[in-house]
Amino acid sequence: MFLLVVLAGALTVVYLLTLWLKDWYSFWKKMDAPYEEPDLFYGNLTSVAKKMDHLGGSMQKIYEKFKGRAPFVGIYMFLKPAALLVDLELVKNVLIKDFNYFHDRGVFYNEKDDPISAHLFALQGPKWKLLRNKLSPTFTSGKMKMMFPTIVDIAKRFEATIDEVAERDADLDIKKLMARFTVEVIGVCAFGLDCNSVADENSEFYRVGLSVFSNPRHSFPVDLLMIAYRELARKIGCKRFRDEVSDFYTRVVKSTVSFRTANDVHRHDFMELLIDLYQRQDDNKITFNELLAQAFVFFIAGFETSSTTLQFCFYELAANPDIQTKARNHINEVLERHGGDLTYEAMMDMKYLDQIINETLRLYPPVMSLFRETDKDYPVPGTNFILKKGVTVLIPAFAIQRDPDVYPNPLKFDPDHFSEENMKGRTPVAFLPFGEGPRICIGARFGMMQVRVALITALRKYKYSLSPKTKSPLELSKNAFITSPVGGIWLNVESL
């Protein structure tokens, strides 16, 4: 009898829980808004949580299903209601015109238990705005021009490394090669430190930096859970990054700050600005943990997204030898016009390279979906719908940038998508690798500069072809925060 009572009680709990979940999942239905039917617990992330699809592909299916029928579609991130935008005019409103409703990304950070996670990308509200204003002077075109000779010096050492690789005639992991360059660039420009990663792939900077995304603390579905339930995750002390990563960057930043302040060392780099803000005695002063978090995100975002973009770029150049040849000829023609030297002006004159980089970012945006959070009730223009305060907004960059109505023949790698003529009349929110509006990536100009230099250095004297080790067609990882290929990208390189 006792067992029957227990069983009946358990079944009753399950039944009541199921009823509650069904009622909870009626959020969009009660609003009479278009929505995608959710699964219990997972919501509309079942394929992502079970590693059957990546987030970009999962959201692309919903985007294509509802595009043209409504400005947004209601979905659920596990139990949390979210609005997936499918109309570019609404995307423009959220990112630019009505930014005051959507100024926060709504991503997870934990300033108390995981200080390096409380960086500019994640911070919210007034704190984000204040810090953004303080850091913006670092990324002017004038500052980029000052850093350029340093990047060119690193590129010369990088070219010697490519020479060694070409002589070995071995399969090349292009991501690791490009990461060695971008780690060195960010190390020098952000920390003023020679990371030695170009010459030594076993350098600690390179190893730890690469591990942030290749060996994360949590799986991607758990990261999404922490985004969906940020306050709960903070209360129970969840951390975004592994302790080894936090300890390493804390040690490096502390020693750098101590050395520079003790020896009155000054450099024209990102760390100089952070130290100036740290030492101030007015309202612009920042704490050491704030300094640490900004140094960390500049390093991680700068090297990882750039090296990822470069690996996809060289994959497409190897797969399209005619475009590769055209790009190489363009580099050499422009350099010849500028006296044979790679100057800042010569780099900026290489318009076809920008088309190639932008086309790579279109097909393989480093972050497949942009997140925003509704700060107050938002009446959706032209409708009777209201996005309630606290609702997460997803902007499916991956889907938008592969939309045939925006980019003809979208799966074809075609730099002419970004010719001057084709870009005319196309809304800026149809291309979102750096975001858009007031929260556009603060380091976009720097990222493009180091990608251009790497592309020029690695392409002007070398030819690339696909290795049999590279999967064809390319498959994107289903369990990565940054867009990544399954099995890596392997190429053959020969010196010309």
Side-chain angles (χ1 to χ4, degrees), residues 123-139:
L123 286 174
Q124 298 173 279
K127 193 164 189 177
W128 161 77
K129 187 175 182 181
L130 193 63
L131 197 57
R132 172 93 182 198
N133 290 338
K134 291 174 183 177
L135 299 180
S136 291
T138 313
F139 298 98

Side-chain angles (χ1 to χ4, degrees), residues 74-116:
I75 62 171
Y76 297 87
M77 293 176 59
F78 301 99
L79 302 179
K80 184 175 172 59
L84 180 73
L85 307 191
V86 296
D87 176 74
L88 292 186
E89 196 59 36
L90 182 55
V91 171
K92 187 192 294 184
N93 289 344
V94 167
L95 294 178
I96 306 171
K97 184 181 175 184
D98 297 323
F99 175 77
N100 59 310
Y101 287 87
F102 305 97
H103 48 72
D104 295 334
R105 296 187 195 276
V107 299
F108 173 79
Y109 66 93
N110 185 345
E111 198 163 6
K112 176 176 173 285
D113 302 298
D114 190 21
I116 64 172

Side-chain angles (χ1 to χ4, degrees), residues 357-409:
I357 295 166
N358 286 338
E359 178 67 351
T360 302
L361 289 166
R362 179 191 72 80
L363 269 175
Y364 311 101
V367 179
M368 294 186 177
S369 293
L370 309 182
F371 290 85
R372 294 291 186 270
E373 185 167 77
T374 315
D375 183 59
K376 48 193 171 187
D377 288 359
Y378 176 69
V380 179
T383 75
N384 295 320
F385 303 127
I386 293 177
L387 296 181
K388 299 288 186 182
K389 178 180 178 178
V391 165
T392 296
V393 172
L394 263 75
I395 299 167
F398 183 84
I400 292 169
Q401 293 177 187
R402 292 184 174 218
D403 185 339
D405 291 334
V406 182
Y407 297 95
N409 201 0

Side-chain angles (χ1 to χ4, degrees), residues 29-47:
K29 188 176 183 180
K30 288 175 181 175
M31 193 188 292
D32 200 27
Y35 68 95
E36 179 74 347
E37 199 67 47
D39 296 325
L40 289 180
F41 180 69
Y42 293 112
N44 298 104
L45 296 178
T46 303
S47 62

Side-chain angles (χ1 to χ4, degrees), residues 179-224:
R180 287 165 68 178
F181 173 75
T182 57
V183 164
E184 187 81 11
V185 168
I186 300 293
V188 172
C189 293
F191 294 90
L193 298 175
D194 185 353
C195 304
N196 200 34
S197 59
V198 164
D200 180 13
E201 61 181 297
N202 295 313
S203 78
E204 194 174 13
F205 251 103
Y206 173 78
R207 181 185 62 79
V208 177
L210 216 60
S211 77
V212 172
F213 293 100
S214 64
N215 182 29
R217 188 180 190 105
H218 307 291
S219 66
F220 186 52
V222 172
D223 280 336
L224 289 175

Side-chain angles (χ1 to χ4, degrees), residues 104-314:
D104 295 334
R105 296 187 195 276
V107 299
F108 173 79
Y109 66 93
N110 185 345
E111 198 163 6
K112 176 176 173 285
D113 302 298
D114 190 21
I116 64 172
S117 68
H119 46 66
L120 192 64
F121 181 86
L123 286 174
Q124 298 173 279
K127 193 164 189 177
W128 161 77
K129 187 175 182 181
L130 193 63
L131 197 57
R132 172 93 182 198
N133 290 338
K134 291 174 183 177
L135 299 180
S136 291
T138 313
F139 298 98
T140 62
S141 57
K143 289 289 176 68
M144 296 303 103
K145 203 168 182 179
M146 285 171 59
M147 293 182 191
F148 184 76
T150 301
I151 298 176
V152 171
D153 285 342
I154 296 168
K156 290 173 183 174
R157 303 201 300 272
F158 181 54
E159 190 170 355
T161 300
I162 301 173
D163 264 334
E164 292 173 14
V165 172
E167 284 176 14
R168 290 201 301 267
D169 196 27
D171 291 328
L172 164 66
D173 184 336
I174 192 69
K175 167 67 181 291
K176 288 187 175 179
L177 178 67
M178 293 302 158
R180 287 165 68 178
F181 173 75
T182 57
V183 164
E184 187 81 11
V185 168
I186 300 293
V188 172
C189 293
F191 294 90
L193 298 175
D194 185 353
C195 304
N196 200 34
S197 59
V198 164
D200 180 13
E201 61 181 297
N202 295 313
S203 78
E204 194 174 13
F205 251 103
Y206 173 78
R207 181 185 62 79
V208 177
L210 216 60
S211 77
V212 172
F213 293 100
S214 64
N215 182 29
R217 188 180 190 105
H218 307 291
S219 66
F220 186 52
V222 172
D223 280 336
L224 289 175
L225 267 171
M226 288 162 60
I227 289 173
Y229 305 105
R230 296 187 305 284
E231 293 306 320
L232 175 61
R234 287 190 193 109
K235 283 178 182 176
I236 62 177
C238 289
K239 297 181 180 182
R240 176 76 176 81
F241 300 102
R242 288 180 298 110
D243 291 342
E244 180 203 13
V245 171
S246 182
D247 293 345
F248 173 75
Y249 285 102
T250 301
R251 186 176 75 247
V252 168
V253 171
K254 271 186 178 175
S255 64
T256 302
V257 172
S258 297
F259 178 80
R260 289 199 186 190
T261 52
N263 296 280
D264 197 29
V265 175
H266 296 278
R267 298 176 186 268
H268 296 297
D269 58 15
F270 188 54
M271 185 60 73
E272 174 89 347
L273 174 68
L274 292 176
I275 292 173
D276 285 347
L277 292 171
Y278 176 55
Q279 292 182 319
R280 293 184 75 133
Q281 299 302 319
D282 56 22
D283 291 342
N284 283 322
K285 181 180 174 61
I286 63 174
T287 67
F288 175 78
N289 279 350
E290 287 173 331
L291 182 156
L292 169 65
Q294 310 328 309
F296 168 74
V297 76
F298 183 76
F299 184 84
I300 292 303
F303 106 77
E304 174 65 23
T305 55
S306 294
S307 59
T308 294
T309 299
L310 284 162
Q311 74 165 333
F312 284 119
C313 186
F314 275 89

